[in-house]
Amino acid sequence: MIPLWFSIALPTTGAGLLCILVAGLTLSIHAPLTLKTILLARDDRWLTAPLKDVHDFRSWWELIRTGNLPDFQPLRDLSYWIDWRISEVIGSGPYFHFTNLLIWWGILALVWRISAKAMNRSTNAPAWIVVLMALHPVAVEPVAWVSGRKHLLSVLFMLGATIQLMSATKRRKITCLQSAAIVTMFLACCMSQPINILWPAWATLYIVANCEQDWIRANRASLALLFAGLAVCSTATFMINMTVYQGTTWFGFKLSPHAELYGQKIGGLRSDEIGISLLALGRYFFNLILPVKIAHRYAPGTFANLAGLLMIPVVAWAGWRLDETRRAFFLWALHATLPLLVVTLQLSQIFVADSYALSAMPGFMIAAAILVTNIKIDMRRIRYFAVAVCGMLLANSMAIARSWTATDKLWFRADEVEETADSIYFTGTYLLKSGQNDEALARAMRLIDVSGMNPKAIRLVAFSICDHPRLTPQEKRAHFDRLEINDMPPVLDCLAGMHESRGEYDDAARIIIDIARKDPVYLQAEMASGMERLRKSCAQAATNKSQCDLVLRALGKKEVQDGN
């Protein structure tokens, strides 16, 4: 029997070999994306493209002031700007995903150092924490998604502030320079993403729980400077984000023209949202413990929400039963909980996304390690189980990462993350390709509500109805009549196909000729096998022979014009 299951020896020992192991695991997950530049229109292009032509602070500020960048996160923007400049120098790229991976490696290195200090034992627990974090499916999205850069940077600087604080409290005297370094790290964390805005509360409790009163009195000047700086950073971050996301005016100053849009999505907690926020917190907890099916959005009624919520008091009770390590367990559990409270209480209509859980992972892993190290388990019984768990995490993470390399799949449910005309259209297109015509049609109708009867909406409506397996030809025509789009090329394309399927080639040829006259570009570039379909219909049509020949010749020479 052994006192802790973490004492199972890793395949490698020592810092260098652990780095090789972790690098190999993360590359096996993220290699398909590392040297690619796959950008999502809903977020990635909006965040990165404007920074390509930025060459000074004034031009960046103009992007913020005019709303060409959606939010105020300067460190994230600076990192994208550096990627663009490196791309100019090397003549290829930019490699946004590779930069994300480098930041992820930095995070794992800091987690290893922090967990080694926190565990305060000569065990393999820190190495296991790093390996499990590297393999965990929840960590895939922020690394694979270019827009996840803000979460990576926020966690990196938050961990930097954490290890600076832990190191400072181990010394006899904390200097003003050390206090300034902690404040600077925390400021960089807030300027990357504000999810860790409550970190100073954890820092306060950490000092109270781990430092003697004599030490606190001896360092009161440096601590006063430290907490004054942290308070200023938190207050400024809160004010900036209120004006960006809520449109709040401070001293006559209002920053973002997108505040009205964000205000509909991100609001303060109302009394009727408390239960929903708690369930969302439960889902985060469930995702971290049992990442069987990662949730990308809160779904009411999901069993995992309630199960995760019920797990929290059970784990808290288990932590309370600890003796020497009880205080450390709850301290690191709080480290994990504070950023999730910011998400679930403030972003109460976004609810669950893997990227937001990244800030909680270091504290969660350390608290879990403290709890598990107090369990006595036979090493022979757990060795293969531990390997199996790592294998399942790796397989799940690799499957999620691969989905980020398929452009179509990237848009699956994208409109639930952020509803824009592009995200609705591409989500509907993906659903249509997957044979989910009812959902695709619903997206098409929503697209019409959002952006009007534009070509993309008409195309999505037309093919959602046309390819619907359960609608009769009469019902399809009725839908087109109700929407008053019978003369649009995608609808005419559908009607021509319906005639062809019934052998009515004269009618099909007439409709395709009509498309060629109204929109030859559609026939040449958009319509599936348009030329071949026209030749087939013309060859079998009893009438319209001369018109068919003229149109075919004109299309071949690209001379067809509207009305001719």
Side-chain angles (χ1 to χ4, degrees), residues 5 13 23 29 32 52 55 62 78 117 129 151 191 203 229 261 269 273 288 329 339 388 397 420-421 477 487 501:
W5 73 278
T13 56
I29 296 170
K52 182 178 181 180
H55 294 285
E62 186 65 17
L78 177 61
K117 290 177 177 291
I129 289 172
H151 298 283
M191 292 298 99
L261 167 66
L269 183 69
E273 294 177 332
L288 288 167
F329 168 81
S397 293
T420 65
R477 285 181 179 274
D487 59 341
S501 65

Side-chain angles (χ1 to χ4, degrees), residues 10-300:
L10 286 170
T12 56
T13 56
L17 293 176
L18 178 65
C19 289
I20 294 173
L21 173 65
V22 171
L25 292 173
T26 51
L27 281 173
S28 68
I29 296 170
H30 297 285
L33 275 169
T34 302
L35 297 179
K36 293 184 179 180
T37 305
I38 298 178
L39 300 177
L40 304 188
R42 69 172 187 262
D43 275 348
D44 296 349
R45 294 175 192 169
W46 192 7
L47 293 174
T48 60
L51 295 166
K52 182 178 181 180
D53 299 319
V54 168
H55 294 285
D56 53 31
F57 176 82
R58 181 178 298 178
S59 55
W60 171 79
W61 179 252
E62 186 65 17
L63 292 175
I64 294 289
R65 190 186 64 79
T66 58
N68 288 305
L69 285 174
D71 44 27
F72 186 82
Q73 293 171 1
L75 264 293
R76 176 208 61 194
D77 294 344
L78 177 61
S79 71
Y80 291 144
W81 182 84
I82 292 172
D83 282 335
W84 281 116
R85 303 291 77 80
I86 293 174
S87 174
E88 289 179 358
V89 172
I90 65 178
S92 63
Y95 298 111
F96 296 116
H97 295 95
F98 181 69
T99 304
N100 279 11
L101 184 60
L102 291 177
I103 298 171
W104 179 227
W105 284 342
I107 290 171
L108 293 174
L110 287 175
V111 168
W112 184 42
R113 287 193 61 195
I114 290 171
S115 57
K117 290 177 177 291
M119 297 300 295
N120 198 26
R121 296 182 184 184
S122 56
T123 70
N124 286 323
W128 275 103
I129 289 172
V130 172
V131 169
L132 290 173
M133 269 195 70
L135 293 174
H136 205 292
V138 165
V140 174
E141 181 181 285
V143 183
W145 187 16
V146 171
S147 295
R149 177 78 59 85
K150 59 186 178 183
H151 298 283
L152 292 169
L153 288 171
S154 183
V155 172
L156 181 73
F157 290 118
M158 179 268 291
L159 293 176
T162 299
I163 198 167
Q164 287 277 349
L165 179 70
M166 295 175 74
S167 299
T169 55
K170 295 294 184 182
R171 299 179 180 180
R172 186 175 62 85
K173 185 174 180 60
I174 179 173
T175 65
C176 292
L177 184 61
Q178 290 172 326
S179 296
I182 295 170
V183 172
T184 301
M185 283 286 183
F186 179 64
L187 177 61
C189 165
C190 292
M191 292 298 99
S192 300
Q193 214 273 349
I195 190 173
N196 292 297
I197 191 174
L198 297 181
W199 182 84
W202 180 85
T204 303
L205 290 175
Y206 182 85
I207 290 176
V208 171
N210 290 281
C211 299
E212 300 290 341
Q213 290 298 317
D214 291 342
W215 185 92
I216 294 175
R217 281 193 293 269
N219 290 279
R220 57 180 178 270
S222 296
L223 291 175
L225 175 65
L226 170 63
F227 287 109
L230 294 177
V232 169
C233 291
S234 290
T235 304
T237 301
F238 173 77
M239 294 175 68
I240 289 170
N241 282 274
M242 286 298 290
T243 190
V244 169
Y245 294 114
Q246 298 287 348
T248 306
T249 300
W250 303 100
F251 310 110
F253 177 73
K254 180 177 175 180
L255 184 61
S256 174
H258 295 294
E260 193 171 317
L261 167 66
Y262 285 123
Q264 299 171 1
K265 286 181 169 290
I266 302 174
L269 183 69
R270 301 189 302 268
S271 59
D272 61 339
E273 294 177 332
I274 294 177
I276 299 296
S277 297
L278 286 174
L279 286 174
L281 183 63
R283 186 53 190 255
Y284 275 117
F285 196 69
F286 186 90
N287 277 6
L288 288 167
I289 293 180
L290 297 172
V292 179
K293 184 178 180 182
I294 303 299
H296 295 279
R297 180 175 171 83
Y298 172 77

Side-chain angles (χ1 to χ4, degrees), residues 505-552:
Y505 294 106
D506 284 293
D507 291 328
R510 175 179 52 78
I511 291 174
I512 297 175
I513 290 169
D514 194 20
I515 296 174
R517 288 172 172 168
K518 289 181 176 179
D519 193 347
V521 174
Y522 177 86
L523 189 66
Q524 291 168 320
E526 299 275 347
M527 183 174 171
S529 307
M531 293 284 286
E532 284 303 314
R533 287 179 60 185
L534 181 57
R535 288 192 183 96
K536 180 180 177 181
S537 295
C538 286
Q540 301 191 46
T543 59
N544 297 319
K545 291 287 189 183
S546 59
Q547 286 186 316
C548 280
D549 292 338
L550 286 172
V551 170
L552 282 169

